[in-house]
Structures are given as structure tokens and as C-alpha cells.
Amino acid sequence: MSQLDRTWWHKQWRHARLWRRFFAQAVVRETHFRAHFLTTLLVGLVQLGLGIVPTLLLFGFTAELHGWSRAEVIALVGVFQIVTGLMATFVAPNLNRMTTYLTEGELDGVLLRPVSSQFYLTLRWINVAELTNVASGIAVLVIGLVQADLSPGAGQIVQAVVLVGTGLVLLTAVWSAMSFLAFWLQSVNPIGFVFLNLMEAGRYPLVFFPVAVRTFLTFAFPVAFATTFPVRALSGDLGWGTVALGVGLAVIAMLLVRLLWRRGLLTYSSASS
């Protein structure tokens, strides 16, 4: 292994250890605010219930819609809860602060730290309480799969996990790109609301939408990779080609976001100057 490779791996290992400290701090912080933990759990369960009610009402009139049964859509709601819970835990607490970082000069201090500024600003804060929504989403997913009489094999589970991972990366890349517009627009707080509203489309199977919207939800705002495709994989209806497409798009999206971050830094002038 060359000296360059050893240096690169050492840098990644240092970032991993730093993130582990962020997580440990978040756990300690959460133990001091137990009411916040319980409130987050309660709100998450209410949101989950509100997400299932439309499905129960819709399938009260039909047993199957566009190839989807009620149980499969319930499984989809479970996956949606898992994805939104993970984003609320690891992504939202950071990207929602982007305007503050740039307009109040906090980025100045971050740029002086011996760590990647993009890594620090997008992974520093963790909301551990939101992991309760991930747990409730897993429970609903299992209930949906049991009701649908689905027993996915190891390969199908791997497909679903990889697709959820690529979906998370793609959605994070989209939200990051929207947030990094703060370099030019100064305030991007409304963009967060737009992103979260678009995310709601992930509660429903892709085939429920018109063709143009399906294309948008697959390539422009790729929530389909995080919700619909994983459930299709667990049903055994998806090939590895879609998985490979998701991984390829995730790599391209990460590279583009990295370029956008560097371009934004070139235009940044200290808020205190």
C-alpha cells in the first residue's frame, strides 16, 4: 500500500472515530432530556398511524390496486417510517442549520478545524430520539410482510437493504444540494419544508402516480429507491439491475454534491468580515 493510500485510510478512520464521539455525545445528551425522547416517540407513533389510515380507507373498497395489496402498502408505510426516521436522526439536524452556519459565522470556526468541513457540517448533530421511529417502522414492515405472506430470502433482503441505503444517500444528496444553495441565497430554510413535503410521496407505491411523476420520483427526487423499490425487492419482483442503477446514481450524486460544496466555498466570504 502506497503512502498516499495509507494517508487516505488514516483520514477516513479519524473521521469514523470522530463520528463515533458525536454519537456518544448525542446519547448522553438524550439521557438528560427524557421528556424529549418520550415526546418524539409519541409524535412518531401518531404520524405512523396517520400514514396507515389512508391505506386502510383506500383498500376498504378494493383488495388490490395497480398490483399492490393492502398488506404490501402497509409494508411500504413501514419502510417509509424507517427512512424518514433515519433522515430525522442523522441528516435533518445538520442541514436545517445550514443557514445559521453561513449567516452567523459558525462556518468560520468549522473551516479552522483539522477535519473536513463538509463532513462536520453534515454529520455533526444526531437526534437519537428519532431512532424510535425507525424501530416502529421495522415493526410495521414485519407486520405488512406477514400479512402479505411474504418470506423474502437472503438475496432479496440484501437487495432491499442496499436500495434503502442508496435511497438515503440519494435523498441526502438532493437535500444537501438544496441546502448548499445558501452560499448564494443566504437563507434556505423554506427549502427544507419543500423537501419534507416532497418526501410524503414516498408513502405510496410509485405506480399510483402518472408516468411523468414516476420519472420525477425516480431520477430527480429519487424517493422511489428508498421506499417502493425495497418493498418490491422483498416481494421478489425486482432484479439486481435496479440495485446497480441505484448504487451508480448514489456515487454520481455524492461526487456532484462534493463539487457543489467546493464551488460554494469559493464564493464564501466570512460573515464576520
Side-chain angles (χ1 to χ4, degrees):
M1 183 181 294
S2 67
Q3 179 62 34
L4 181 61
D5 290 337
R6 284 197 294 271
T7 302
W8 187 87
W9 280 111
H10 177 72
K11 184 178 179 181
Q12 306 313 312
W13 176 243
R14 188 157 57 89
H15 281 82
R17 286 190 302 171
L18 183 59
W19 186 86
R20 188 178 63 183
R21 290 187 180 182
F22 292 161
F23 189 83
Q25 289 176 357
V27 172
V28 172
R29 188 168 57 247
E30 201 62 42
T31 58
H32 287 83
F33 301 97
R34 296 175 185 174
H36 173 254
F37 183 87
L38 294 175
T39 303
T40 303
L41 173 61
L42 180 61
V43 171
L45 291 175
V46 170
Q47 290 177 335
L48 183 58
L50 292 175
I52 293 177
V53 167
T55 300
L56 298 179
L57 292 175
L58 183 64
F59 283 91
F61 301 96
T62 181
E64 186 176 296
L65 189 61
H66 291 299
W68 285 73
S69 67
R70 183 183 69 174
E72 288 174 320
V73 177
I74 289 176
L76 176 65
V77 172
V79 173
F80 177 80
Q81 184 80 353
I82 294 170
V83 170
T84 53
L86 289 172
M87 295 205 70
T89 301
F90 300 107
V91 181
N94 299 285
L95 295 184
N96 282 335
R97 286 180 164 87
M98 195 55 63
T99 297
T100 303
Y101 281 132
L102 270 67
T103 60
E104 298 185 8
E106 292 186 31
L107 179 57
D108 298 359
V110 174
L111 292 175
L112 296 175
R113 296 175 183 272
V115 63
S116 165
S117 55
Q118 186 183 1
F119 163 83
Y120 189 91
L121 264 62
T122 54
L123 294 173
R124 170 64 183 89
W125 298 102
I126 301 169
N127 189 354
V128 177
E130 290 288 351
L131 288 177
T132 57
N133 293 324
V134 178
S136 62
I138 292 173
V140 172
L141 170 61
V142 172
I143 291 172
L145 293 177
V146 171
Q147 288 186 350
D149 198 24
L150 293 174
S151 300
Q156 294 163 344
I157 293 174
V158 170
Q159 284 184 340
V161 171
V162 173
L163 283 167
V164 168
T166 56
L168 281 168
V169 171
L170 287 166
L171 291 172
T172 301
V174 171
W175 197 353
S176 296
M178 295 167 74
S179 298
F180 294 167
L181 292 177
F183 281 112
W184 296 272
L185 304 178
Q186 300 304 314
S187 176
V188 292
N189 287 334
I191 289 179
F193 293 107
V194 173
F195 179 89
L196 294 176
N197 283 319
L198 287 173
M199 273 290 295
E200 290 297 315
R203 290 185 186 275
Y204 306 99
L206 196 62
V207 293
F208 283 17
F209 299 97
V211 174
V213 179
R214 292 181 210 170
T215 304
F216 176 80
L217 296 176
T218 303
F219 297 106
F221 189 83
V223 69
F225 282 97
T227 57
T228 294
F229 292 160
V231 176
R232 291 284 79 179
L234 292 172
S235 303
D237 299 333
L238 211 64
W240 287 98
T242 305
V243 179
L245 175 63
V247 173
L249 289 176
V251 172
I252 293 172
M254 290 174 64
L255 293 174
L256 291 176
V257 167
R258 182 63 178 164
L259 290 175
L260 182 63
W261 171 258
R262 290 186 172 181
R263 184 71 183 85
L265 281 181
L266 292 176
T267 67
Y268 176 71
S269 58
S270 171
S272 58
S273 63

